[in-house]
C-alpha cells in the first residue's frame, strides 16, 4: 500500500462517502482531518482526500503541514481534464504527489454563510448562461438541474484510479 491511512475533509458529505468507500475497499482506516491530527503519527503515509473550493483543495496546507501526505484526492462537481494539474499548482502540491479527481456532489441546502451566498450568485449566473445557449446538450441540462436542485454523483467507480495507485507496491 502507498498509504496506511486515509485522512479527509468534507463539507457536505461526498468526500466523507468516498473516504469510507476507499477505506472499506483497501482495508485501511479513514479519519476526518480534525481527528487524524491527534491519532495519526507524522511518519504514517497518508492519502489525503478533500473537496475543491475556488480551485484549491480545502485544508491542503494543514494536511501537508502536519501529516505525511503521499497522495491526494479532490472531490468536485465537474472535474475537467486539467483539474489535477491546476489544483496542484494552486496548492503548491509537489510534482511527485499524485492528485486524483472525482465527481462529487452539490447540496445547496447544506451550505451556510458566505459559501451559500456565493454559490447562489454563481448558480444564478451559470443557469442563466446555460438557458441562453442556442442548444443544450445532456451535460448542460444535467448541470443546470444539479445547480438548481442539488445532486450527487458519488460512486465507487470514480475511485478506480486512486484505488489502483493506493494498491501499488
Amino acid at each position: 500500500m502507498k498509504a496506511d491511512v486515509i485522512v479527509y475533509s468534507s463539507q457536505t458529505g461526498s468526500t466523507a462517502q468516498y473516504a469510507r468507500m476507499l477505506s472499506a475497499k483497501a482495508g485501511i482506516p479513514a479519519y476526518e482531518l480534525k481527528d487524524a491530527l491527534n491519532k495519526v503519527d507524522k511518519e504514517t503515509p497518508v492519502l489525503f482526500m478533500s473537496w475543491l473550493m475556488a480551485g484549491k483543495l480545502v485544508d491542503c496546507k494543514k494536511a501537508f503541514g502536519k501529516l505525511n501526505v503521499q497522495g491526494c484526492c479532490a472531490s468536485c462537481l465537474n472535474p475537467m481534464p486539467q483539474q489535477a494539474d491546476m489544483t496542484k499548482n494552486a496548492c503548491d502540491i509537489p510534482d511527485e504527489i499524485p492528485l486524483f479527481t472525482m465527481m462529487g456532489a452539490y447540496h445547496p441546502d447544506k451550505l451556510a454563510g458566505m459559501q451559500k451566498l456565493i454559490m447562489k450568485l454563481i448558480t444564478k449566473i451559470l443557469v442563466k448562461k446555460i438557458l441562453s445557449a442556442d442548444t443544450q446538450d445532456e451535460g448542460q441540462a444535467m448541470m443546470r438541474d444539479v445547480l438548481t436542485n442539488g445532486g450527487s454523483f458519488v460512486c465507487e467507480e470514480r475511485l478506480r484510479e486512486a484505488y489502483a495507485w493506493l494498491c501499488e507496491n
Side-chain angles (χ1 to χ4, degrees):
M1 287 281 170
K2 294 265 185 160
D4 295 337
V5 67
I6 296 166
V7 175
Y8 67 92
S9 179
S10 187
Q11 172 72 12
T12 62
S14 60
T15 307
Q17 279 182 276
Y18 277 130
R20 287 190 297 271
M21 283 180 196
L22 194 54
S23 169
K25 188 172 177 121
I28 60 175
Y31 300 108
E32 193 168 357
L33 179 59
K34 64 180 179 167
D35 298 326
L37 296 177
N38 296 321
K39 292 181 178 180
V40 178
D41 183 84
K42 280 187 159 194
E43 301 304 313
T44 303
V46 168
L47 173 65
F48 178 63
M49 303 177 78
S50 190
W51 53 286
L52 293 182
M53 181 172 69
K56 292 193 173 185
L57 192 61
V58 174
D59 290 328
C60 181
K61 287 194 185 302
K62 186 184 288 186
F64 272 86
K66 304 207 180 241
L67 299 167
N68 182 15
V69 177
Q70 297 298 304
C72 298
C73 292
S75 175
C76 57
L77 188 54
N78 192 16
M80 302 174 288
Q82 68 276 24
Q83 189 74 59
D85 289 336
M86 291 170 31
T87 301
K88 285 178 79 165
N89 288 336
C91 298
D92 295 322
I93 296 173
D95 288 340
E96 65 273 10
I97 304 288
L99 187 137
F100 306 96
T101 57
M102 300 101 48
M103 196 171 196
Y106 177 60
H107 299 291
D109 56 315
K110 293 184 179 181
L111 299 177
M114 189 59 85
Q115 285 180 340
K116 186 172 194 146
L117 189 64
I118 290 169
M119 285 309 297
K120 205 177 228 185
L121 178 62
I122 290 172
T123 296
K124 190 175 186 177
I125 292 167
L126 291 176
V127 168
K128 185 176 180 179
K129 184 177 180 178
I130 291 169
L131 291 174
S132 70
D134 291 336
T135 60
Q136 290 182 33
D137 63 24
E138 187 179 321
Q140 289 171 314
M142 178 196 67
M143 188 58 68
R144 182 195 68 231
D145 185 54
V146 169
L147 287 168
T148 305
N149 304 311
S152 177
F153 301 96
V154 174
C155 67
E156 191 173 304
E157 173 58 26
R158 298 189 196 285
L159 289 168
R160 185 176 27 84
E161 290 180 3
Y163 179 70
W165 170 84
L166 191 59
C167 293
E168 287 177 3
N169 289 323

